[in-house]
Amino acid sequence: MPDPAATRRYLRKMLRGTLGVAIGAATAFAEFFYVLFGGIALAIPALRPPVFAGARALSEVERRRIEKYLGAENATDYTGRRAMTYLVPRCVIGLFSTGIFLLLGYGVVIGTYVAYQKAFGEWPGEGSLSDQIATVGLGVLLLFLSAQGLIGIATLERKLARRFFGPSKKEQLRRRVSELATSRAEVVEAVNGERRRIERDLHDGVQQRLVALGMLLGRARRTGDPDHASELLRQAHEESQRALEDLREVSWRVYPIALDSDGLHPALEALAERSGVPVNLRVDLPERPPAAIETVVYFVASEAVTNTIKHAAATRIDIEAERDGDRVRVRITDDGTGGARESGGGLSGLARRVAAADGEFTVDSPLGGPTVVTAVLPCE
């Protein structure tokens, strides 16, 4: 069954891309005339600087349009000559997209006309069944070709911009250094967060129980009443069991043994069995991912389940882990009250941990639910 949130994101992306292509179709006319007359002006050496400057201004408009609507970010360190060269194929693609929009508009007009005829009990042509089938089939084919044409134009726009705008090797190196610096900071912050959480769990949980256990044993040793001593020893035994459970819980949160010895699937099964909320688990990983990726996937699932149990009032949790090409995707869905924020304490720690592995982390949690936590990690 399609994921409603994913469907909404896909539709928004498609609408934004279509709008971007439409704007590109409109700007293509200005670029065509600029290339035509600017190209002639380049024959005069004195006019070359202003022509290249104008070409760069037009190219900046296209670069920003592609970044905003088509989701392709490109560098800004290109020359005016390169911008002028870019505008030549770019205006051709823009004019071609104009033709697609005209074809689409023609199809809408024909469809409206057919609907009008149908509403008044008439069909175009002789009104035979074959004519009706041909008309509907032609409309569907036209719509399909127009959609494919728009997708193809958007792809061409991105490739062309990447070809002419860069990024240059200098820009690539600068971005990589920036990414590594960010990843390093994220790793340090994630490790510090884990350390603080483990210390808190040990101090507030295990340590307090051991103190209570010692007090019970001391009272049992000092009392002269055998029955009271027996009761205190029973309480001490129960307290030792609870301390052992807390210690086992902390050790699982540090690093589960099953993850190291058996892999991600058994570790997630153990997580599902220990959960206080019913968990539906689906794992589709033909091969074991690298250990570092398995660890991140496990902790994303573990922390998301813990947050759901504590805060979401959910009655069901779904965990899906699957291979998607050269990536591993894990999605945790619950039917709780929603309202989770990625900037929240536990989820922000997960975001940092995923970012440190060059992955993508998203949280979709409208008020009233459901909550969907997704992490996509490279797996090469």
Side-chain angles (χ1 to χ4, degrees), residues 3 9 19 35 62 75 88 93 142 156 196 211 218 245 258 285 292 296 317 358 366-367 373:
D3 183 356
R9 286 195 296 272
L19 179 59
V35 167
E62 296 301 334
V88 176
I93 293 175
L142 193 62
L156 277 176
R196 288 194 294 268
V211 169
E245 286 295 325
L285 296 171
V296 176
I317 301 173
D358 290 334
L367 288 176
V373 176

Side-chain angles (χ1 to χ4, degrees), residues 271-279 305 309 314-315 317:
L271 173 67
E273 291 172 359
R274 292 168 47 245
S275 170
V277 176
V279 174
V305 169
I309 294 173
T315 60
I317 301 173

Side-chain angles (χ1 to χ4, degrees), residues 154-196:
T155 303
L156 277 176
E157 293 260 35
R158 284 191 286 264
K159 289 185 176 180
L160 193 67
R162 191 182 308 119
R163 170 70 177 79
F164 284 92
F165 294 150
S168 64
K169 290 184 178 179
K170 180 180 177 182
E171 178 67 15
Q172 288 177 339
L173 181 60
R174 188 190 65 78
R175 290 184 184 183
R176 188 55 184 160
V177 169
S178 177
E179 290 173 358
L180 291 175
T182 303
S183 296
R184 176 181 174 277
E186 300 286 0
V187 168
V188 171
E189 183 59 31
V191 170
N192 284 337
E194 288 295 325
R195 180 180 56 78
R196 288 194 294 268

